[in-house]
Amino acid sequence: MPVTTSNIYGKISISDEAIAKVASHAALECYGIVEMVSRRFMDSVSQLLKRESGGKGVKVTTSGDRIFIDIFVIIKFGVSISAVADSLKKAVKYKVEQFTGMIVDTVNVNIIGVKL
């Protein structure tokens, strides 16, 4: 379900896939993040078939003008998990809010694994 807002010029609608891509790019720029991981088996299958399915490792849920984001990542071994998670939350929240102009209510970080 897309996020929508209106102004004097008309209605703006932003798809969940567009938000997921922005969140995915913001996450990969964070120190300590090695890669994004598919959140469901069907996402892995669609990647094998080369179908575009939004940002890999990101689930976006919207309610009204609020955005809820779940991120699934693999982090680098030896980094502080809490520091990387806090940095990731702040970066994703900032980038998505700048992109959409709407409020990101929560960013949940799910650490799926660790790589050397």
Side-chain angles (χ1 to χ4, degrees):
M1 175 180 211
V3 177
T4 58
T5 187
S6 297
N7 60 23
I8 59 172
Y9 301 111
K11 180 178 165 184
I12 301 169
S13 181
I14 305 168
S15 72
D16 291 350
E17 290 81 17
I19 295 170
K21 283 186 180 185
V22 171
S24 180
H25 285 294
L28 287 172
E29 291 176 357
C30 289
Y31 176 78
I33 302 299
V34 176
E35 66 181 289
M36 307 294 288
V37 220
S38 296
R39 57 194 184 274
R40 297 183 319 232
F41 175 71
M42 287 308 294
D43 294 337
S44 298
V45 171
S46 67
Q47 280 184 326
L48 289 173
L49 299 174
K50 302 284 186 202
R51 287 184 47 213
E52 193 83 22
S53 64
K56 179 182 176 185
V58 179
K59 177 183 172 195
V60 175
T61 310
T62 56
S63 175
D65 65 344
R66 298 228 181 247
I67 302 169
F68 305 91
I69 301 172
D70 290 304
I71 298 179
F72 302 84
V73 296
I74 293 179
I75 64 168
K76 186 177 188 176
F77 179 78
V79 297
S80 168
I81 292 174
S82 62
V84 170
D86 286 342
S87 172
L88 179 58
K89 286 180 183 183
K90 289 176 185 173
V92 169
K93 180 177 171 60
Y94 175 78
K95 295 263 175 127
V96 172
E97 285 181 349
Q98 291 298 312
F99 175 71
T100 63
M102 297 177 195
I103 298 167
V104 174
D105 196 77
T106 58
V107 177
N108 298 315
V109 176
N110 301 285
I111 299 171
I112 304 301
V114 178
K115 271 195 178 174
L116 296 175

